[in-house]
């Protein structure tokens, strides 16, 4: 139950960051925090987003396969979730403390707990809401919007995504479904390309656009 309790706290923290992102940004600007404080906030938000999304994928993966006596790890994980009221309420579509719910992340389908194995499999398919493409877009968009064009902030967000993924691995026994690793790779790729774009000089951008850099007088 320790892993589930940790995950509950992560979901709580993520809910506070996700549901009040604009207020947090406004507060950060008005309080003129140090760069370290801002980057720490971005890092922690990225950790919570990563843990939450990977935990969702683990649950959907469990729901989408036939459970057997040989698959005790999956069975234990599923029972831990069912026995944990808050996480089960969240997966049932209810709002938990902090206003976090399935709808708060844009999911409008049937409650996760009511899905059949085939429906769960569809959700993590290529075109599914929790598939690699759409999940990586949501996670990367969240941290990019949070950090803006701040390269250091994006680098901290990247570290947070990696840390959250590693913590999710520990929570769920050291190995996640393959789709989680694919999502992680694509999410980091999107963030890396954003950082690379921001680090380009004006001259490099002009060369890529087919223009001759302007000579200085």
């Amino acid at each position: 139950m320790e892993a589930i309790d940790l995950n509950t706290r992560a979901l709580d923290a993520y809910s506070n960051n996700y549901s009040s992102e604009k207020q947090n940004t406004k507060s950060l600007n008005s309080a003129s925090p140090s760069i370290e404080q801002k980057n720490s906030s971005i890092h922690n938000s990225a950790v919570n987003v990563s843990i939450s999304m990977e935990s969702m994928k683990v649950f959907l993966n469990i729901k989408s396969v036939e459970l057997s006596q040989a698959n005790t790890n999956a069975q234990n994980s599923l029972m831990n979730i069912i026995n944990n009221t808050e996480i089960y309420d969240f997966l049932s579509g209810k709002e938990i403390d902090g206003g976090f719910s399935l709808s708060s992340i844009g999911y409008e389908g049937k409650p996760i707990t009511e899905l059949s194995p085939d429906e769960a499999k569809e959700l993590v398919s290529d075109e599914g809401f929790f598939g690699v493409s759409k999940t990586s877009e949501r996670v990367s968009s969240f941290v990019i919007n949070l950090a803006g064009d701040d390269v250091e902030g994006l680098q901290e967000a990247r570290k947070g995504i990696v840390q959250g993924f590693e913590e999710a691995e520990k929570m769920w026994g050291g190995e996640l479904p393959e789709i989680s690793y694919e999502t992680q790779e694509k999410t980091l790729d999107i963030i890396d390309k954003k950082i690379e774009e921001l680090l380009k000089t004006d001259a490099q951008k002009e060369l890529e656009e087919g223009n001759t850099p302007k000579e200085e007088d």
Side-chain angles (χ1 to χ4, degrees), residues 33-102:
S34 66
I35 293 176
E36 290 78 10
Q37 289 174 320
K38 181 180 179 182
N39 287 346
S40 177
S41 176
I42 291 172
H43 182 98
N44 292 337
S45 294
V47 169
N48 292 326
V49 170
S50 185
I51 290 174
S52 300
M53 288 300 179
E54 296 311 326
S55 296
M56 180 67 75
K57 284 180 173 292
V58 170
F59 184 85
L60 287 169
N61 187 69
I62 291 171
K63 290 281 286 188
S64 68
V65 299
E66 291 285 335
L67 295 181
S68 64
Q69 288 298 323
N71 198 1
T72 54
N73 286 337
Q75 286 179 319
N76 289 337
S77 295
L78 183 57
M79 289 308 300
N80 283 341
I81 291 173
I82 291 174
N83 290 332
N84 186 285
T85 303
E86 188 164 23
I87 290 182
Y88 192 78
D89 282 347
F90 166 70
L91 296 169
S92 299
K94 298 178 182 178
E95 185 176 290
I96 60 176
D97 290 345
F100 189 55
S101 65
L102 291 174

Side-chain angles (χ1 to χ4, degrees), residues 12-165:
D12 282 339
Y14 174 42
S15 70
N16 292 330
N17 286 311
Y18 190 91
S19 62
S20 59
E21 178 183 346
K22 291 185 179 179
Q23 290 89 331
N24 287 343
T25 302
K26 183 177 181 181
S27 175
L28 285 171
N29 291 336
S30 62
S32 299
S34 66
I35 293 176
E36 290 78 10
Q37 289 174 320
K38 181 180 179 182
N39 287 346
S40 177
S41 176
I42 291 172
H43 182 98
N44 292 337
S45 294
V47 169
N48 292 326
V49 170
S50 185
I51 290 174
S52 300
M53 288 300 179
E54 296 311 326
S55 296
M56 180 67 75
K57 284 180 173 292
V58 170
F59 184 85
L60 287 169
N61 187 69
I62 291 171
K63 290 281 286 188
S64 68
V65 299
E66 291 285 335
L67 295 181
S68 64
Q69 288 298 323
N71 198 1
T72 54
N73 286 337
Q75 286 179 319
N76 289 337
S77 295
L78 183 57
M79 289 308 300
N80 283 341
I81 291 173
I82 291 174
N83 290 332
N84 186 285
T85 303
E86 188 164 23
I87 290 182
Y88 192 78
D89 282 347
F90 166 70
L91 296 169
S92 299
K94 298 178 182 178
E95 185 176 290
I96 60 176
D97 290 345
F100 189 55
S101 65
L102 291 174
S103 61
S104 74
I105 59 172
Y107 177 73
E108 299 178 351
K110 183 190 294 187
I112 302 300
T113 52
E114 297 178 12
L115 297 173
S116 68
D118 287 341
E119 288 171 328
K121 188 175 182 180
E122 179 64 25
L123 267 185
V124 290
S125 66
D126 290 341
E127 299 301 319
F129 186 84
F130 289 105
V132 174
S133 295
K134 293 185 178 179
T135 301
S136 59
E137 287 173 7
R138 277 197 309 279
V139 176
S140 60
S141 292
F142 177 84
V143 297
I144 287 173
N145 288 336
L146 201 62
D149 290 339
D150 179 356
V151 172
E152 289 187 6
L154 284 170
Q155 290 170 335
E156 278 304 312
R158 190 189 193 284
K159 292 178 184 177
I161 293 293
V162 172
Q163 181 182 338
F165 188 86

